[in-house]
Amino acid sequence: MTKNNNILPEGWKTKPINQVFEFIGTSSYSRNDINYEIDEESIYYIHYGDIHATYKNAILDFETETRIPVLKKEIKSTTNYLEEGDLIIADASEDYEGVGEALEVFNIKDKKAIAGLHTFALRDKNNDTAHGYRAYLFKNPEIKKRLKTIATGSKVYGISKGNLEKFKITLPPLPEQQKIAKILATWDKAIKLQQQLIDNKKQYKKTVMKKLLTGEVRFKGFNDKWKEVKMSDIFSMQAGKDIDLISYELNKSNTHIYPVYSNALQKDGLYGWYNSYQFEENKITVTARGSLGKANPRYEKFNAIGRLLILTPKSKMNIKFASDYINEIVNIFVESTGVPQLTAPQFSIYKIKLPDINEQIKIANYSSIIDSELKILENELLSFQKQKQGLMQQLLTGKIRVKN
């Protein structure tokens, strides 16, 4: 039997959370109270922001996770320390998808750790849940859907303790929980391994490209001296097109939302600015706000807004080489009391070292090979993640049962 119209799979049961778990004390220290200066006396701190943004798996493994902050040494917490298998739930999120994000504590051993700001800490009362399965309780798509109904707020969504205590969770028999946890843990391991391969490849690229882009290491057959020039010597620069946003409107079929701009022409539900090319190919765009100085080569015609600088080579140049040089070697810094913004005059004074065009091409081609290898690894990671998501939807709802 499978779950259909609120009919539970055979042997499964529902219980309010407060019948399965007890709530243990949490704390409310801020980011200013924590750091990464770890020693034997450190008290680890699980911040709700890290649940959302830092930890990629539902299992928080203290043996392998290196990004768990600790309380500053002068702070002595009296909150209950976490134990093996405890569940940490973020009670606040900026979007519905993050509502009820949870982690299960693994391999804590003799380490001291506490749950922090905007979290609930839960501990199994009567061995109703299997170690390793608790991490996936709130990954059940049907439970995630119901969690959204008890979240309140506008810009930030929150779950109250009172609502969570009464919230019902669905539990397979304990042996089935253990087998589900083992299956999903296998996929988590594969995903983590793949992510490590990607990180290693990125680090390799950063190391080798720094040497190639500075001439510290050179390909055989290239011996000419490199020229150091200012960006203004080799590029003409302009900002992306400034667009004044007025509102958002639906197109005629009411299926897409398009920004409406004061200088945009409406045409069949689309807007002229989107249908016309503002810049020709063979240029480089550089981010002028936010993450300053991120360069991308543009091999085809493109649109660009005012938050980008557009660099046009004045002479023959490999734009992939120049983009890599800007990303890996140039250190952009802008003094500002508000939102930092990179202007063409500011960028023009930075310097770049250029080999002849043939060596530029050789270096750029090698960089492209690494980029292609990274893309393959990232696509494989995405495939693993989709496969795991599909498994969770089947196993955590009982649509597919594991054999006892």
Side-chain angles (χ1 to χ4, degrees):
M1 183 186 300
T2 58
K3 190 176 178 71
N4 184 28
N5 296 327
N6 296 322
I7 299 175
L8 289 177
E10 186 177 351
W12 290 38
K13 59 188 175 182
T14 60
K15 286 186 176 183
I17 281 181
N18 60 7
Q19 289 184 16
V20 180
F21 296 98
E22 63 175 316
F23 285 71
I24 60 176
T26 61
S27 59
S28 57
Y29 298 110
S30 71
R31 287 285 188 192
N32 293 330
D33 299 315
I34 58 180
N35 57 36
Y36 292 88
E37 299 173 7
I38 299 170
D39 59 30
E40 291 182 355
E41 300 301 319
S42 291
I43 299 174
Y44 291 85
Y45 187 74
I46 315 303
H47 192 280
Y48 85 103
D50 289 327
I51 296 177
H52 289 305
T54 304
Y55 310 127
K56 303 302 181 185
N57 294 321
I59 300 294
L60 183 61
D61 192 331
F62 276 76
E63 285 189 350
T64 59
E65 181 56 68
T66 59
R67 297 164 295 177
I68 308 175
V70 296
L71 292 179
K72 291 181 177 178
K73 289 181 171 56
E74 62 268 23
I75 300 175
K76 304 298 180 184
S77 174
T78 58
T79 303
N80 292 336
Y81 294 129
L82 297 171
E83 295 178 2
E84 185 75 7
D86 283 349
L87 192 62
I88 316 301
I89 304 172
D91 72 8
S93 172
E94 293 182 355
D95 56 55
Y96 267 135
E97 288 306 309
V99 171
E101 280 294 310
L103 300 171
E104 184 176 351
V105 173
F106 260 61
N107 293 317
I108 194 166
K109 297 181 180 177
D110 57 352
K111 295 182 177 70
K112 294 179 180 178
I114 58 176
L117 184 68
H118 289 304
T119 67
F120 297 118
L122 278 62
R123 184 169 296 158
D124 191 306
K125 285 181 176 181
N126 305 303
N127 196 33
D128 282 326
T129 57
H131 189 19
Y133 183 81
R134 298 174 196 124
Y136 300 105
L137 274 171
F138 297 101
K139 299 294 185 183
N140 182 324
E142 295 176 8
I143 287 181
K144 284 178 70 70
K145 185 177 179 180
R146 287 196 291 111
L147 270 173
K148 294 176 183 179
T149 66
I150 66 170
T152 58
S154 53
K155 293 183 179 179
V156 176
Y157 301 98
I159 302 174
S160 70
K161 182 180 178 182
N163 282 339
L164 189 60
E165 284 179 324
K166 295 178 289 185
F167 187 82
K168 290 185 177 181
I169 53 176
T170 307
L171 297 172
L174 206 58
E176 190 168 358
Q177 291 182 39
Q178 293 166 338
K179 291 187 176 182
I180 291 172
K182 187 175 181 180
I183 292 169
L184 295 178
T186 300
W187 286 98
D188 278 337
K189 185 177 180 180
I191 289 169
K192 189 172 184 178
L193 254 162
Q194 190 71 12
Q195 186 61 62
Q196 187 61 56
L197 289 173
I198 292 170
D199 293 342
N200 291 345
K201 180 65 72 173
K202 286 180 177 178
Q203 186 57 49
Y204 169 77
K205 180 184 178 183
K206 189 174 185 65
T207 301
V208 73
M209 291 308 298
K210 185 174 183 180
K211 292 180 179 180
L212 289 172
L213 291 165
T214 56
E216 180 183 344
V217 172
R218 302 183 72 176
F219 288 106
K220 186 177 180 180
F222 295 101
N223 302 300
D224 292 344
K225 188 175 180 180
W226 291 24
K227 296 178 181 179
E228 185 175 66
V229 293
K230 289 183 180 179
M231 295 295 180
S232 58
D233 294 333
I234 59 172
F235 293 115
S236 60
M237 305 180 197
Q238 62 189 119
K241 187 175 179 65
D242 289 322
I243 305 293
D244 297 322
L245 180 65
I246 296 177
S247 64
Y248 286 92
E249 287 185 3
L250 289 173
N251 72 342
K252 289 181 179 179
S253 62
N254 291 334
T255 55
H256 297 288
I257 296 178
Y258 296 100
V260 181
Y261 297 103
S262 60
N263 58 344
L265 298 175
Q266 186 173 0
K267 183 179 180 182
D268 296 329
L270 298 174
Y271 293 92
W273 187 80
Y274 279 96
N275 289 335
S276 63
Y277 291 112
Q278 299 299 321
F279 298 97
E280 295 297 317
E281 66 273 11
N282 198 38
K283 301 182 189 298
I284 297 171
T285 56
V286 178
T287 52
R289 293 186 70 179
S291 180
L292 299 181
K294 175 64 177 174
N296 282 293
R298 303 295 176 178
Y299 302 106
E300 299 175 350
K301 294 179 180 180
F302 63 97
N303 293 318
I305 62 171
R307 294 180 177 86
L308 292 173
L309 294 181
I310 317 302
L311 312 184
T312 303
K314 293 181 178 180
S315 58
K316 191 173 183 181
M317 177 191 301
N318 185 281
I319 57 174
K320 169 66 173 167
F321 172 89
S323 296
D324 283 347
Y325 191 97
I326 294 167
N327 288 329
E328 300 296 338
I329 308 301
V330 178
N331 184 22
I332 303 293
F333 177 74
V334 175
E335 290 188 0
S336 175
T337 55
V339 178
Q341 183 163 332
L342 181 65
T343 65
Q346 289 168 330
F347 185 76
S348 67
I349 64 173
Y350 287 98
K351 294 181 178 181
I352 181 173
K353 289 184 177 181
L354 288 175
D356 67 42
I357 187 63
N358 291 323
E359 191 169 3
Q360 290 180 39
I361 292 170
K362 185 77 172 179
I363 294 170
N365 287 345
Y366 189 74
S367 175
S368 295
I369 289 170
I370 302 175
D371 288 341
S372 296
E373 293 171 347
L374 264 171
K375 188 66 176 176
I376 291 170
L377 292 173
E378 288 167 348
N379 285 340
E380 289 173 346
L381 175 62
L382 183 61
S383 177
F384 289 156
Q385 290 169 334
K386 287 182 177 179
Q387 289 169 23
K388 182 195 168 189
Q389 187 66 30
L391 273 173
M392 286 197 298
Q393 290 176 347
Q394 300 295 319
L395 295 174
L396 297 176
T397 59
K399 291 177 181 176
I400 291 179
R401 304 292 299 271
V402 293
K403 295 180 180 179
N404 293 328

